[in-house]
Amino acid sequence: MYVDHEKYGRCTTNIKPNEKEIETFLTHLKLISEAQLNRVEATLRTEFRSKLFSLRCIIDAYPLAVNRFSLNLRKHKKILTITNLISNNTISIEATAFLLSALLRRATITILGETSTGKTTLLNALSLFCSTLDRKIFLETFIESYDEPNYMHQIKLKVVDNLTINERKYLKRGKDVEILKTLHRSPDIVFLGEIISKSHSKALITALSAGLRCIQTVHASSIEDLIYRFKYGYGIPLVFIGKMNLIIVMIRTPWINSNSRRVNSINFVLSEKFNKNLNIKFLDVFKYSYKNDKLVKMLNTNELIKMLSKLDVIDEEEVLLADYLSIIKLFSLLTKLKIDYKAELEIYRRFHAVRRRMLNRVLPPRTFVNVIEGVVYHE
């Protein structure tokens, strides 16, 4: 048995559970899950939750596992906010301001990356900044989203893992089915977690085409890999990728330390008509510099605001700029404070309350930027 430690990387242990302990643990997991574990259904994917910790469990049994048994446990990490991600250099303040300005306009965001690159961590951090009036629906096979305060409108739906459960009665609760059913749940934003299979992908495209605003993670090392999978693996026309507004690519950076993660790029998806054909382009808005370990802005501020204006034709550029600059100021102040996530969420709440005054024309956009310091220090 070995452990992938947050600080020290992969560590060997002297832990050797005996056969009775393994059987006891397996029996418990089978009782709390809706899956079976036998010669036909040789893989079980479930979660183990307690007051002290939460685990994602994947078990492979004989005859799939040649050595009789394989167990993978992944401990859910502590709550990480956007401020935490900025502090550990996963993302820059300017990139944060661009992403959150897009999020406030309910942009569809897809987060790509290989295994353990921080995709879900970023998704959960973004969800915490949503407007307190937004109705958010989470569709998850494993519950990895954060429990939010009561004043935030959060609905969690645990869907069946239709990769390992094949019984017809359970497939009616598969993620692909629930994505389509969400059309009738009146969400403002849908957080989909992992999009893994062909049926998941086609259900996502259907939902986006119907007008749902979604944020999801996808296992892929690059945008090119995503395109190849959608177009050639799943038979989804490239034109539908144009329904995704932003694509974020995450990477691991083990040359810095064993647990470091970085946003490799933030790309704006542009759809352009040319001779009655729709062309899809991916514009680099931010790009990671390996040399400087820094996320570099590829466009100037005016160009960034024009990108944001393509997401919402209603907002004036003055409002878009006020959002962008106020978020930069907000997180510049937050990164200097040592507060817990609950205190940070309360600051987000005050931010959105003041921002609504700007949107209602009570507060001028320029004044909104100037009052951010009062929002943070509650003056």
Side-chain angles (χ1 to χ4, degrees):
M1 181 176 288
Y2 61 87
V3 175
D4 285 335
H5 195 273
E6 182 177 5
K7 183 178 180 181
Y8 301 109
R10 183 155 295 176
C11 306
T12 57
T13 74
N14 58 2
I15 301 172
K16 293 182 179 180
N18 59 43
E19 194 163 323
K20 183 179 179 180
E21 290 171 330
I22 292 173
E23 194 60 40
T24 300
F25 186 65
L26 282 178
T27 301
H28 185 78
L29 291 181
K30 284 189 280 188
L31 286 173
I32 63 176
S33 71
E34 296 179 281
Q36 299 181 15
L37 190 64
N38 50 47
R39 294 181 69 90
V40 178
E41 303 287 347
T43 298
L44 187 150
R45 290 158 50 101
T46 187
E47 60 182 350
F48 180 91
R49 298 174 71 87
S50 73
K51 293 181 180 179
L52 300 177
F53 61 87
S54 178
L55 299 174
R56 187 171 78 177
C57 311
I58 302 177
I59 303 165
D60 294 315
Y62 185 83
L64 179 62
V66 177
N67 296 324
R68 290 190 56 206
F69 175 77
S70 172
L71 174 63
N72 183 294
L73 302 177
R74 181 174 177 179
K75 185 179 178 182
H76 295 166
K77 297 179 180 179
K78 63 181 181 181
I79 293 177
L80 293 177
T81 64
I82 289 291
T83 301
N84 298 135
L85 298 183
I86 293 171
S87 297
N88 63 28
N89 206 29
T90 298
I91 190 170
S92 67
I93 290 180
E94 285 187 306
T96 296
F98 179 77
L99 274 184
L100 296 184
S101 296
L103 182 68
L104 292 175
R105 282 149 189 86
R106 299 176 184 167
T108 293
I109 300 173
T110 301
I111 306 173
L112 303 183
E114 298 176 354
T115 302
S116 299
T117 50
K119 301 183 297 296
T120 302
T121 300
L122 178 59
L123 181 144
N124 286 336
L126 291 175
S127 74
L128 294 176
F129 191 80
C130 289
S131 170
T132 52
L133 299 181
D134 282 342
R135 175 179 165 85
K136 297 181 290 185
I137 295 180
F138 292 76
L139 298 179
E140 302 172 276
T141 304
F142 302 104
I143 303 300
E144 296 183 279
S145 56
Y146 303 144
D147 292 328
E148 298 178 356
N150 292 331
Y151 61 79
M152 301 181 81
H153 303 281
Q154 179 191 42
I155 298 172
K156 292 186 179 185
L157 301 177
K158 184 176 180 180
V159 298
V160 166
D161 176 16
N162 51 8
L163 293 180
T164 57
I165 297 179
N166 295 316
E167 294 185 51
R168 189 176 298 276
K169 62 181 179 180
Y170 292 127
L171 292 180
K172 293 180 180 179
R173 281 177 43 215
K175 179 175 281 188
D176 49 351
V177 175
E178 293 301 329
I179 289 174
L180 298 178
K181 285 165 64 176
T182 302
L183 291 167
H184 302 288
R185 293 186 174 118
S186 304
D188 291 309
I189 305 178
V190 183
F191 292 85
L192 296 176
E194 292 180 312
I195 299 297
I196 300 175
S197 65
K198 180 178 180 178
S199 61
H200 290 179
S201 303
K202 289 197 170 184
L204 168 64
I205 294 301
T206 301
L208 295 181
S209 300
L212 282 185
R213 301 294 186 174
C214 304
I215 301 179
Q216 53 280 325
T217 66
V218 179
H219 284 278
S221 59
S222 65
I223 295 176
E224 290 76 13
D225 286 348
L226 177 68
I227 293 172
Y228 292 152
R229 186 190 308 167
F230 269 41
K231 186 175 180 180
Y232 300 109
Y234 299 160
I236 299 174
L238 185 60
V239 64
F240 287 109
I241 297 181
K243 297 294 181 180
M244 301 179 184
N245 303 130
L246 291 173
I247 296 179
I248 306 168
V249 181
M250 303 290 296
I251 57 170
R252 298 180 68 179
T253 51
W255 56 87
I256 298 172
N257 65 62
S258 61
N259 194 49
S260 64
R261 311 288 188 269
R262 298 289 185 266
V263 171
N264 188 45
S265 66
I266 299 175
N267 305 273
F268 198 95
V269 183
L270 293 172
S271 301
E272 298 179 348
K273 284 188 176 181
F274 182 74
N275 292 337
K276 297 184 179 180
N277 294 319
L278 194 63
N279 294 329
I280 306 298
K281 294 182 179 181
F282 302 95
L283 179 65
D284 285 335
V285 183
F286 289 87
K287 191 76 175 176
Y288 177 69
S289 169
Y290 288 81
K291 181 179 180 180
N292 301 317
D293 186 27
K294 183 179 179 182
L295 197 56
V296 179
K297 184 169 68 171
M298 308 302 291
L299 305 174
N300 61 41
T301 301
N302 289 334
E303 291 171 325
L304 289 180
I305 299 305
K306 287 182 180 179
M307 289 293 104
L308 291 172
S309 68
K310 295 179 183 295
L311 300 173
D312 192 338
V313 295
I314 298 175
D315 279 349
E316 299 173 359
E317 287 196 6
E318 189 179 16
V319 173
L320 293 167
L321 182 60
D323 274 343
Y324 179 73
L325 295 178
S326 64
I327 294 172
I328 288 177
K329 190 171 183 178
L330 174 70
F331 284 98
S332 296
L333 295 171
L334 284 176
T335 50
K336 298 175 183 177
L337 301 178
K338 292 183 178 180
I339 56 177
D340 61 21
Y341 84 96
K342 291 183 179 179
E344 186 167 336
L345 291 187
E346 185 58 36
I347 292 173
Y348 292 172
R349 186 181 185 181
R350 295 198 294 267
F351 172 89
H352 288 298
V354 176
R355 181 175 180 269
R356 282 194 290 274
R357 295 181 62 198
M358 177 187 69
L359 297 179
N360 292 331
R361 309 287 183 177
V362 176
L363 194 69
R366 290 185 180 181
T367 305
F368 174 53
V369 178
N370 294 332
V371 301
I372 293 300
E373 196 165 325
V375 169
V376 174
Y377 298 112
H378 205 187
E379 296 174 350

